[in-house]
Amino acid sequence: MARPIHLDSVRKEYRSAGSVHVAVDDLTLSIPEGSFTTLVGPSGCGKTTTLRMIAGLETPTEGRLSFGDEDVTGQSPQDRNCAMVFQSIALYPHMTVRRNIGYGLKVQGVPKDERDRRIDEAAETLQITEQLEKMPAELSGGQQQRVALGSAFVQDPDVLLLDEPMSDLDAKLKAELRVEVQRLHQELDATVVYVTHDQTEAMTMSDQVILLNQGRLEQFAPPGELFDAPVSEYVARFIGTPSTNLLPATVAETDDGYALAGDGFGVLAPADRFADRVGDSITVGIRPQYLSADGGDYELTVIAGVVEQLGTEFVVHGHTPDGTDVDAVSTAFGAVEHGDELVVGFDPGDLFVFDADGRTICHGDALAGETPRQSP
Amino acid sequence: MSTVTSVRSSLAEFDERRLLLLATFLPLAAFFTLVWAIPIAYALGMSLFENPTRAASFAGLSNYVEILTAEQFPLFLWNSVLYAVSTTVFSLLLGLGLALVVNQQIRGGSVLRTMMIFPYLLPTLVVIFIWQFLFDPNIGVVNQWLVDFGVVADPIAFFSTIEWAMAAVAVTSVWKFGSFAFFILLARLQAIDPNLYERARVEGASTWQAFRDITVPHLRGAILIILLVRGIWMFNKFDIIYLSTRGGPLNATTTLPIRVYELAFNEVNFGAATALAGIMFFLLAGVAVVYFRVFEPEKEVTH
């Protein structure tokens, strides 16, 4: 039975030799039952600590954690019906694959026949039937990962926790196992929480994404919203590859109204949001994919540095004349060479505008109405 | 022409490899012959003679018969086995217990770990003095406690009482050699992936189940090697017993090695002494064969 997970003002600190390190700070969120939720963020942002608190391997310093209506804050891991897949895979090296998968059932007192039936079923699903009598050391990395998933699967958990399970695998295996994990989610009646530092995994697999920044919740939203409507510069930078371009600008009052004036552009801005910000330093964000080689309401000059080919697309890593780094992605940049001066266009609808503290002032939809007079 | 050269070069290569093999193997073989094979063969040879150091006369197996049929031989053998098994098992349990404690990240664990090396470093004589002092009937703290708490009415002279001498020697030995098991087991414990325990907890295993199903299998190889080498060493142990009790009182702590010493240097009967040493050798060899057959210690946990 899948259960929702509620975190209420959860804080976790580690004390060592007089110093206090806050790993997770004032985290409040509700993960819907049966959903696939990804915890994402850079190393050290507290995502694994959060997962371990859900598993019961760490106890929150403050705050409350509950599964549905049941308060599990002080409950030991044995008493929560969780299953967890560890980053190090953590297969028992002295047990065969069959015993590895069945260990959880065995300690819970499931009879042998029932155990074997469920192990065979899980092995079937994960295509590791031939490996059942082998030792973990005889398996490849991908097969070991399948065994770890299998032992989580047979327990029929309420909550399935995955801690960067694919970080050691190559790209092809990752893609394969991504599908496997999603299939497991569909077959299991469980709330899945998945930790990764890889935003591609987060974006492709999940119903919603929790993005953490130094132990604090930055944004909790479905992947699409995270991509299209980041609440801060941090989110915009973290989600999407290459990273969102950040162009420094100031709010200026012009004859046409208000404008976001940067190096070589002046984007018209609505008065209701910017009238009281005249003179403020702001940052304009634009995704590299939205800088196009032709067209666009506004233009930006980019001096090309390194050009990378990604299949059909080309990534230009360059900078503006005043030295701000800018990346642009398009199929049209094939002929660009180092030192070339490009003029790329963009539409106001694709912009994000952040204040000096990195919080979002508005997204492109608020700017899109303000069409410049000179454009056709 | 080219075939000839290639054959010749491969021959040269072969010779070179063989030379290297010989050059490394010969010194080793010579060394082992000199310090190992010859003394053993010599000692076993001596055991077949009557009065081998002076007027040697061939006696066949009569020395062996004499030893094995001696009235007190079963007692000496029993003492040896009792001493070897009890000290090995208890030093293993002591080391295991302390290693498990230190492996939990408790406060003062590193201090305890450092302190554990001291019994092993202390000279045997000092260890014996410490325990004779502790067990002393007049000033020993152990007797004082036992009397104070009403366990015994009168102090016991542990090292010189027939019933307690073996126990006193065994306690002294366990105290000294417990750290051997401790360090081997601690190193093994620290090599276990902590995630295995976390996974077991999430899967619902109790602390005891995790110990039984993860810790014990990981320690199996180390425990078996400790049992083997510690068992052999304790079976052959001479100094700690002889220096604390001289095999007494009334042969209560006379083990086979002490009997060998008595035969050789008190009774000047080298024939019988070497015969008994030979018997010990064959006993241990027999036990070792059984050990390797039964436990298959090479079946270690693989990573």
Side-chain angles (χ1 to χ4, degrees):
Chain A
M1 246 287 288
R3 290 200 282 179
I5 304 166
H6 306 290
L7 284 83
D8 185 16
S9 318
V10 168
R11 178 183 171 88
K12 177 69 187 176
E13 50 190 44
Y14 294 101
R15 291 163 192 278
S16 60
S19 70
V20 177
H21 170 70
V22 181
V24 173
D25 195 5
D26 193 26
L27 194 60
T28 301
L29 49 90
S30 289
I31 300 169
E33 66 176 87
S35 71
F36 194 115
T37 302
T38 304
L39 265 161
V40 72
S43 304
C45 72
K47 53 192 191 298
T48 294
T49 308
T50 308
L51 192 80
R52 289 170 59 86
M53 285 193 287
I54 297 173
L57 295 170
E58 307 275 354
T59 314
T61 315
E62 281 168 34
R64 234 175 69 97
L65 209 146
S66 48
F67 289 175
D69 299 327
E70 191 186 356
D71 186 344
V72 296
T73 316
Q75 224 175 46
S76 69
Q78 287 93 335
D79 300 330
R80 315 178 178 196
N81 189 13
C82 286
M84 184 159 171
V85 177
F86 290 86
Q87 183 172 8
S88 69
I89 303 180
L91 297 181
Y92 306 121
H94 53 285
M95 297 185 191
T96 58
V97 168
R98 176 180 290 280
R99 287 185 59 210
N100 253 291
I101 296 178
Y103 185 68
L105 299 178
K106 189 179 161 209
V107 295
Q108 286 157 23
V110 176
K112 192 167 186 321
D113 296 346
E114 161 86 4
R115 223 153 67 203
D116 279 336
R117 193 184 56 73
R118 279 159 76 172
I119 294 168
D120 289 332
E121 187 189 314
E124 189 87 22
T125 311
L126 287 156
Q127 300 155 37
I128 45 171
T129 308
E130 279 97 80
Q131 272 75 41
L132 276 179
E133 308 310 326
K134 289 187 185 166
M135 300 303 276
E138 299 170 62
L139 305 183
S140 69
Q143 288 170 335
Q144 291 187 0
Q145 200 54 266
R146 282 166 192 269
V147 176
L149 289 173
S151 57
F153 180 77
V154 288
Q155 291 176 70
D156 194 17
D158 297 342
V159 173
L160 174 59
L161 306 167
L162 302 122
D163 184 10
E164 306 205 27
M166 300 179 199
S167 57
D168 295 338
L169 300 180
D170 59 62
K172 188 167 165 284
L173 265 176
K174 261 187 192 177
E176 233 175 271
L177 275 167
R178 244 179 3 224
V179 178
E180 212 67 55
V181 168
Q182 280 168 299
R183 215 172 69 213
L184 280 186
H185 175 227
Q186 281 157 12
E187 291 196 19
L188 276 178
D189 182 18
T191 309
V192 179
V193 183
Y194 186 99
V195 162
T196 181
H197 60 262
D198 180 344
Q199 50 106 4
T200 318
E201 274 175 26
M203 298 300 280
T204 49
M205 298 169 80
S206 24
D207 299 326
Q208 58 261 310
V209 177
I210 300 166
L211 179 55
L212 295 177
N213 181 13
Q214 297 185 334
R216 292 181 157 275
L217 178 65
E218 195 74 22
Q219 190 165 5
F220 179 31
E225 195 180 324
L226 220 62
F227 191 84
D228 293 330
V231 298
S232 67
E233 201 178 299
Y234 177 84
V235 179
R237 291 281 296 171
F238 193 83
I239 302 294
T241 39
S243 259
T244 301
N245 297 308
L246 298 173
L247 310 168
T250 41
V251 181
E253 197 165 3
T254 65
D255 303 338
D256 300 329
Y258 298 92
L260 312 174
D263 186 23
F265 64 89
V267 180
L268 287 182
D272 56 337
R273 290 187 196 254
F274 292 97
D276 54 353
R277 292 185 189 265
V278 173
D280 284 4
S281 293
I282 52 141
T283 308
V284 173
I286 173 96
R287 294 202 178 275
Q289 291 80 359
Y290 296 146
L291 288 175
S292 57
D294 47 349
D297 292 347
Y298 298 98
E299 282 178 346
L300 191 64
T301 309
V302 177
I303 297 149
V306 177
V307 183
E308 292 175 320
Q309 183 171 7
L310 291 179
T312 56
E313 290 182 328
F314 295 86
V315 183
V316 176
H317 301 281
H319 55 87
T320 59
D322 70 349
T324 311
D325 287 333
V326 172
D327 298 336
V329 177
S330 168
T331 50
F333 293 145
V336 175
E337 281 181 25
H338 181 85
D340 285 359
E341 201 164 287
L342 310 172
V343 175
V344 293
F346 61 88
D347 289 324
D350 298 326
L351 296 180
F352 312 129
V353 186
F354 310 110
D355 66 14
D357 298 328
R359 310 311 302 177
T360 301
I361 299 171
C362 68
H363 299 118
D365 48 1
L367 301 172
E370 312 287 317
T371 343
R373 250 172 243 171
Q374 64 268 34
S375 71
Chain B
M1 179 65 195
S2 68
T3 334
V4 174
T5 4
S6 81
V7 165
R8 198 174 286 160
S9 79
S10 81
L11 248 179
E13 195 182 300
F14 178 66
D15 269 353
E16 225 170 78
R17 281 187 53 188
R18 206 161 56 170
L19 236 120
L20 185 70
L21 217 72
L22 269 168
T24 48
F25 177 73
L26 274 181
L28 200 71
F31 178 79
F32 270 105
T33 314
L34 209 63
V35 303
W36 210 68
I38 292 178
I40 289 177
Y42 185 72
L44 286 177
M46 260 168 93
S47 70
L48 300 176
F49 287 85
E50 198 68 52
N51 206 353
T53 46
R54 273 165 279 168
S57 62
F58 187 76
L61 293 173
S62 75
N63 281 327
Y64 287 87
V65 174
E66 182 196 328
I67 291 289
L68 290 170
T69 55
E71 192 196 335
Q72 293 212 290
F73 177 75
L75 172 70
F76 301 148
L77 181 61
W78 166 246
N79 281 345
S80 277
V81 171
L82 181 66
Y83 176 76
V85 170
S86 65
T87 52
T88 302
V89 168
F90 283 110
S91 67
L92 177 68
L93 291 177
L94 177 76
L96 177 61
L98 287 168
L100 288 171
V101 169
V102 171
N103 195 44
Q104 302 299 316
Q105 271 142 10
I106 54 157
R107 198 165 297 196
S110 60
V111 177
L112 188 60
R113 193 179 57 213
T114 315
M115 276 167 52
M116 277 305 289
I117 195 71
F118 282 111
Y120 207 63
L121 292 181
L122 284 176
T124 305
L125 216 56
V126 177
V127 174
I128 291 166
F129 284 150
I130 291 174
W131 282 95
Q132 282 186 334
F133 182 67
L134 288 172
F135 280 145
D136 191 278
N138 301 314
I139 51 170
V141 69
V142 174
N143 272 304
Q144 209 172 330
W145 281 338
L146 290 176
V147 173
D148 284 353
F149 287 110
V151 181
V152 294
D154 297 304
I156 301 168
F158 286 99
F159 278 102
S160 44
T161 313
I162 293 184
E163 303 87 49
W164 293 106
M166 180 56 90
V169 175
V171 166
T172 309
S173 308
V174 167
W175 187 81
K176 180 167 166 61
F177 296 111
S179 47
F180 172 79
F182 169 82
F183 279 104
I184 293 181
L185 293 175
L186 182 63
R188 201 70 197 81
L189 281 175
Q190 287 176 340
I192 302 176
D193 178 3
N195 279 345
L196 295 183
Y197 293 105
E198 298 191 329
R199 180 181 155 201
R201 284 174 70 199
V202 173
E203 288 186 337
S206 65
T207 309
W208 159 245
Q209 284 168 326
F211 176 77
R212 185 193 61 197
D213 298 333
I214 300 172
T215 313
V216 172
H218 274 88
L219 294 183
R220 183 178 173 273
I223 288 174
L224 289 179
I225 205 74
I226 291 167
L227 285 179
L228 179 71
V229 297
R230 195 30 79 195
I232 291 174
W233 288 341
M234 295 324 265
F235 190 79
N236 286 332
K237 188 57 78 186
F238 174 78
D239 56 356
I240 203 162
I241 307 172
Y242 193 75
L243 293 172
S244 51
T245 63
R246 311 222 158 235
L250 284 176
N251 288 336
T253 56
T254 301
T255 56
L256 294 181
I258 288 176
R259 185 64 193 143
V260 172
Y261 178 86
E262 285 175 358
L263 282 171
F265 297 106
N266 297 353
E267 300 171 21
V268 201
N269 185 350
F270 281 101
T274 47
L276 182 51
I279 290 168
M280 288 173 61
F281 174 76
F282 291 119
L283 273 176
L284 283 177
V287 170
V289 168
V290 172
Y291 167 93
F292 281 106
R293 283 278 159 76
V294 173
F295 293 119
E296 302 177 78
E298 69 280 1
K299 266 172 65 184
E300 254 285 14
V301 169
T302 46
H303 283 281

